[in-house]
């Protein structure tokens, strides 16, 4: 006869009392995650955790994924970002049709993976990449994944993409504020209409805010310090359907990410274990001249001079009054018409 130690007995009792108290990485159709401190799942390598959280200075509750083994609480994905929970009976489970769903106390669906075809034998797994995947266990196929629906963070092996023919795209969208993960004013990704010469954009309220310049096979030419800062980590590929996708990957890749801030900037951050904090290794907007169209048509920008905008040779301000007041967006026109 085998006897359990006191610690092992306590472990078994905990497993019987709660669905997912133990740090397993998978939810099956008979299981759920309730909003308690001990109810969550952890990826197999313990890199990421999925559960309910509240942003800083907020009492709203959201289902999210965050880094598990670092001291700075850092969210990388949010499910119900447009429909926060504010009652005490929130739960993540798998519905009868096989979808992942977040329910409130009235059993109303506030978020769903929204897979149209019913799945008889589903399970959801949190991978060590930070990707949440919903699978059909009968066919072993992935039918939905969180990497296809990112929020404001791009993780290694995630793909930001666009297809010029279909217009379909996967992009990042900022939080409204550090206390509100709902969709903010800024988004970033590829412009499907510029896929012939791929370049990435940041948009503010759907208007260009920043652009990277074209991809030359190693870096975006409008980010001159990109290679010195991050090396050969990024790549762009095109599939047989004409979809361009950007991804990045490093040897030690679990503690590095790209984030679209609520103030509009894009930053690549790496964890510094000595400082116990994130360090910004690259950012898109580094000076006033990085804003899209800062000096308008036929204008030139130099952040080291004042005013920072000037007209090209043979050109003058289109609107002298605005120009003199520091509004250069109207640009320049030829002094002598052709």
């Amino acid at each position: 006869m085998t006897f359990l130690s006191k610690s092992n007995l306590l472990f078994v009792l905990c497993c019987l009392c709660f669905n997912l108290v133990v740090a397993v990485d998978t939810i099956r159709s008979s299981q759920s995650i309730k909003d308690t401190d001990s109810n969550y799942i952890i990826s197999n390598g313990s890199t990421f955790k999925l559960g309910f959280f509240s942003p800083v200075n907020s009492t709203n509750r959201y289902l999210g994924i965050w880094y598990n083994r670092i001291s700075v609480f850092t969210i990388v994905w949010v499910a119900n970002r447009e429909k926060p929970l504010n009652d005490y009976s929130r739960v993540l489970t798998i519905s009868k049709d096989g979808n992942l769903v977040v329910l409130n106390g009235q059993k109303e669906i506030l978020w769903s993976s929204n897979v149209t075809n019913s799945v008889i034998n589903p399970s959801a797994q949190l991978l060590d990449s930070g990707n949440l995947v919903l699978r059909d266990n009968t066919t072993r196929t992935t039918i939905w994944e969180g990497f296809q629906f990112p929020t404001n963070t791009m993780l290694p092996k995630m793909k930001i993409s666009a297809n010029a023919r279909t217009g379909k795209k996967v992009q990042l969208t900022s939080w409204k504020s550090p206390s509100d993960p709902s969709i903010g004013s800024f988004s970033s990704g590829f412009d499907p209409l510029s896929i012939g010469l791929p370049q990435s954009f940041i948009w503010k309220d759907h208007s260009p805010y920043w652009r990277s310049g074209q991809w030359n096979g190693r870096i975006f030419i409008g980010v001159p310090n990109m290679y010195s800062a991050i090396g050969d980590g990024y790549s762009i590929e095109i599939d047989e359907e004409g979809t361009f996708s950007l991804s990045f990957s490093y040897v030690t890749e679990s503690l590095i990410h790209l984030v679209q801030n609520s103030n509009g900037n894009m930053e690549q951050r790496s964890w510094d274990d000595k400082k116990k904090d994130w360090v910004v290794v690259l950012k898109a907007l580094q000076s006033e001249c990085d804003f899209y169209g800062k000096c308008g048509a036929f204008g030139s920008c130099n952040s080291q001079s004042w005013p920072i905008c000037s007209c090209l040779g043979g050109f003058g301000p289109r609107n002298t009054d605005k120009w003199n007041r520091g509004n250069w967006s109207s640009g320049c026109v030829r002094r002598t018409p052709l």
Side-chain angles (χ1 to χ4, degrees):
M1 181 180 293
T2 302
F3 293 94
L4 292 173
S5 67
K6 185 180 293 185
S7 60
N8 285 338
L9 180 61
L10 180 62
F11 177 83
V12 171
L13 289 174
C14 287
C15 292
L16 292 173
C17 291
F18 300 101
N19 263 349
L20 290 171
V21 170
V22 292
V24 295
D25 64 354
T26 301
I27 305 171
R28 305 193 185 279
S29 56
S30 60
Q31 297 172 315
S32 62
I33 294 180
K34 296 179 181 179
D35 188 4
T36 66
D37 291 339
S38 57
N39 231 194
Y40 48 75
I41 61 173
I42 297 177
S43 62
N44 187 50
S46 297
T47 303
F48 291 97
K49 180 185 284 189
L50 180 146
F52 288 93
F53 75 99
S54 288
V56 62
N57 298 324
S58 173
T59 58
N60 287 331
R61 300 293 283 177
Y62 300 87
L63 179 77
I65 296 171
W66 60 90
Y67 289 97
N68 180 49
R69 294 184 296 183
I70 63 174
S71 55
V72 178
F73 184 64
T74 307
I75 295 291
V76 299
W77 185 81
V78 185
N80 57 310
R81 61 189 302 196
E82 294 296 327
K83 292 185 176 181
L85 292 149
N86 48 31
D87 61 31
Y88 294 95
S89 302
R90 32 208 174 232
V91 63
L92 170 71
T93 189
I94 297 178
S95 63
K96 293 181 179 180
D97 64 1
N99 272 293
L100 269 173
V101 292
V102 173
L103 307 175
N104 64 12
Q106 290 72 47
K107 306 300 182 184
E108 297 170 326
I109 297 176
L110 296 192
W111 175 86
S112 170
S113 54
N114 204 29
V115 176
T116 55
N117 296 326
S118 295
V119 182
I120 298 175
N121 186 22
S123 68
Q125 183 181 18
L126 178 61
L127 305 182
D128 223 35
S129 62
N131 195 9
L132 178 63
V133 296
L134 182 63
R135 293 195 180 101
D136 183 334
N137 290 325
T138 303
T139 60
R140 301 303 302 166
T141 57
T142 297
I143 56 177
W144 178 92
E145 56 180 309
F147 270 16
Q148 286 292 314
F149 303 91
T151 51
N152 70 333
T153 303
M154 180 180 180
L155 295 170
K157 298 180 181 178
M158 180 185 287
K159 293 183 178 181
I160 300 301
S161 62
N163 186 298
R165 180 175 56 82
T166 64
K168 183 180 179 181
K169 54 188 177 182
V170 175
Q171 60 184 26
L172 304 181
T173 51
S174 68
W175 288 25
K176 277 190 175 179
S177 75
S179 301
D180 184 355
S182 59
I183 296 175
S185 298
F186 298 94
S187 58
S188 57
F190 284 127
D191 179 358
L193 300 179
S194 68
I195 290 302
L197 294 169
Q199 54 184 318
S200 61
F201 278 80
I202 297 173
W203 295 276
K204 181 179 182 182
D205 299 323
H206 308 293
S207 296
Y209 187 72
W210 173 87
R211 69 185 178 101
S212 66
Q214 295 151 6
W215 178 256
N216 69 2
R218 299 182 77 185
I219 65 169
F220 291 107
I221 60 174
V223 191
N225 63 336
M226 183 175 176
Y227 184 77
S228 61
I230 59 177
D232 279 323
Y234 283 81
S235 63
I236 288 183
E237 59 185 32
I238 181 173
D239 63 19
E240 63 277 4
E241 297 178 353
T243 299
F244 276 81
S245 59
L246 171 73
S247 61
F248 69 91
S249 180
Y250 295 93
V251 176
T252 54
E253 60 186 22
S254 61
L255 293 177
I256 191 167
H257 61 255
L258 198 67
V259 61
Q260 172 75 72
N261 291 340
S262 54
N263 63 8
N265 211 344
M266 178 76 70
E267 294 180 347
Q268 180 161 329
R269 304 190 300 183
S270 178
W271 180 255
D272 189 318
D273 205 42
K274 291 182 179 179
K275 296 180 179 179
K276 301 298 180 185
D277 202 358
W278 294 105
V279 175
V280 176
V281 296
L282 185 71
K283 55 184 177 181
L285 293 149
Q286 301 183 44
S287 76
E288 286 289 306
C289 290
D290 289 322
F291 289 93
Y292 185 90
K294 182 69 176 181
C295 299
F298 304 108
S300 175
C301 193
N302 183 353
S303 61
Q304 302 301 313
S305 64
W306 184 259
I308 60 174
C309 288
S310 60
C311 291
L312 299 178
F315 290 78
R318 179 182 295 274
N319 187 317
T320 304
D321 289 340
K322 285 186 177 181
W323 190 274
N324 291 337
R325 292 197 302 268
N327 182 348
W328 306 290
S329 59
S330 57
C332 308
V333 294
R334 291 182 181 274
R335 295 187 185 277
T336 304
L338 291 176

